[in-house]
Each structure stands twice: as structure tokens, then as C-alpha cells.
Amino acid sequence: MPLCNARVGQNGPVPASIRLPDGTRLRPLTARSVVLSTLLGKKGGSATPYELVLVGRELGITETALRASLSRMLEAGDVVRADGRYRLAARLVERQRRQDEAAAPPAREWDGTWHIAIVTASGRPSAERAELRAALRGSRLAELREGVWMRPGNLAAGLTPRPEIDLFSGAKPHMDDRELAGQLWDLPGWAETARHLLEGFHDAATNAARFTIVAAIVRHLLVDPVLPSTLLPATYPADELRRVYADFRGEMLELGSRMAG
């Protein structure tokens, strides 16, 4: 995507929310997200408050809001300050790296086998059960029935062993693979939401609106099961959604570098 287009530099006040074609409302752009994106994209990883204010103006964030957010981030340890410049804390840089990997996890050719995770521990506190379920979903598994989680073995990263589960690889379920995938995931529903996000992104009139929609795109990619193509519905839009995210992230990094350069 070219940086110099009709959207750049035409940002008025940020709307209260962004409405997608299906009526879904998205939370608007925040000053914190502008600071994060700018510092991640800046060569050397640092910027002055004024440089950050310039980027904020380009994205419809007021100077007051941006400086207030910067102060809160400093107090929380999200950024560090030295010689009048701000830099992201190492933990946030690492979190962004993990998010980028999770949005587009590397896959390999599928050999037709599945991973199975069977929860063996019982009687655990609800907080521990919720944490385990979140970890399994984060590994792109879905629950077939209580305590039995599955996914095709096409992701390059293996499953992380845990004492609460037994892991099995190379399984061959006794049912049709596409039928099983359809039981585990609502693939048509995921695809429909993805198309609304794509339509909203391409119709957005400002960088601020596109930034807001891209944040929702990332959240949606994090719950994509990343299945082999043979198990997906026709015209499944996951790859297109990833291209939009990668292109816009590159554009915003370029903007941050140019404005804060």
C-alpha cells in the first residue's frame, strides 16, 4: 500500500467508534497504541515527545491525549526515558514479536494426522481451568468434547507439554477430516467476520479508522485455527486478512519512521 494517498493527512477528530458493514462497533484508536506503533517502527527504537506528537496528529490524536498517555506509560514501566527520548520496555517489544508470530504462525505440509490433547487433571480451581483452556486455544486446538482437544498436525511449532494433559501426535480420527474440522470450528462464521473487517478496512476514509480496524483484524487472526487448505471452505479469507495486516503494519512503521525521523 502506498503511504502517500488520499487517506494520509486527512484525519479529523477521531469518531467515538468505528462501525463495520455488519453493524459491529470497534473501539477507536488510542494514544497508547500510537506510541507503541511509533516506537516499534522508529529506527533505533526511540523518539522525542514532539516526534510522537507529530505522528499522533497524523492519526487524529490530540497532543494533550498523547502526552498524558506517555506519562502513564512511563509510570507503568511500559516506556523508559533517557536523554529526552522514549523507548519501549523490552517486555513490550517481545510481546509484539510474539503477537506477530501468532497472527501468522508458520505451517508445514499436512500429512493427514492430528494432535490430541487430553486433560487428565481434575478438581482444579476455576482460575487454573480457565488458564489451561486459554493455553490450549492459544495453541489453536479446539474442544471436541469435555477434556478432549484436537487440531491437525500442520503447524510447525509443536504443542507445549503440560503436567495436566496427555499429548498424542500422529492420530488418525475415525471420521472425515472436513466433517471433524466443521465440528471443532465455526469456519463460515470466522470467514464472514473476516470479510466484514476487510470491507470496513477498504472503505475506511482515514488512517485512524484503518488503524482501528487493523487492531480488530489482529484479534481475529489470533483465533484463526490455521487449518490445512483441504479442510477450509472455498474463498476462506485468512491469507487476505494477513496480507492487509502486514501491508498496513509496514505502512505505519514507515509513517512512524518518517514522522519521527
Side-chain angles (χ1 to χ4, degrees), residues 40-261:
L40 284 167
K42 181 72 168 65
K43 185 176 181 180
S46 69
T48 67
Y50 180 66
E51 290 168 347
L52 293 168
V53 166
L54 290 179
V55 178
R57 287 176 183 169
E58 188 74 9
L59 294 174
I61 300 295
T62 67
E63 179 175 350
T64 299
L66 192 136
R67 289 185 181 274
S69 180
L70 195 57
S71 296
R72 289 192 295 270
M73 293 176 71
L74 184 63
E75 292 176 3
D78 294 337
V79 296
V80 293
R81 181 175 58 193
D83 299 325
R85 303 184 70 85
Y86 289 86
R87 184 185 302 274
L88 283 182
R91 61 182 175 81
L92 289 185
V93 176
E94 174 62 17
R95 189 178 74 179
Q96 181 66 46
R97 184 192 66 78
R98 292 197 305 268
Q99 177 178 282
D100 287 344
E101 289 182 354
R108 62 191 178 195
E109 186 176 355
W110 186 44
D111 63 2
T113 63
W114 291 66
H115 295 311
I116 302 177
I118 299 178
V119 179
T120 55
S122 60
R124 291 166 295 124
S126 59
E128 292 183 12
R129 294 198 302 271
E131 188 276 331
L132 178 59
R133 293 177 68 86
L136 290 166
R137 289 196 182 98
S139 295
R140 260 64 178 208
L141 279 83
E143 194 171 26
L144 180 65
R145 59 179 182 271
E146 186 174 0
V148 179
W149 296 71
M150 303 180 66
R151 73 152 294 107
N154 68 311
L155 293 184
L159 303 180
T160 302
R162 298 177 62 110
E164 311 97 318
I165 59 177
D166 288 336
L167 296 175
F168 302 92
S169 299
K172 289 274 193 176
H174 295 294
M175 64 184 301
D176 179 74
D177 290 323
R178 289 181 64 90
E179 181 181 349
L180 178 56
Q183 287 188 29
L184 291 167
W185 294 280
D186 179 12
L187 299 176
W190 190 95
E192 181 179 11
T193 298
R195 294 188 186 97
H196 289 314
L197 288 166
L198 287 168
E199 184 179 350
F201 177 86
H202 293 306
D203 289 347
T206 68
N207 272 334
R210 292 197 299 159
F211 196 116
T212 299
I213 295 171
V214 164
I217 285 175
V218 172
R219 292 192 295 271
H220 198 52
L221 285 173
L222 294 178
V223 296
D224 173 28
V226 194
L227 300 181
S229 59
T230 55
L231 302 185
L232 295 174
T235 66
Y236 193 72
D239 288 343
E240 184 179 358
L241 212 61
R242 289 189 176 88
R243 282 194 297 271
V244 165
Y245 169 56
D247 288 349
F248 188 72
R249 176 165 164 72
E251 184 179 335
M252 288 297 98
L253 294 182
E254 181 183 343
L255 173 63
S257 182
R258 178 171 64 84
M259 296 294 293

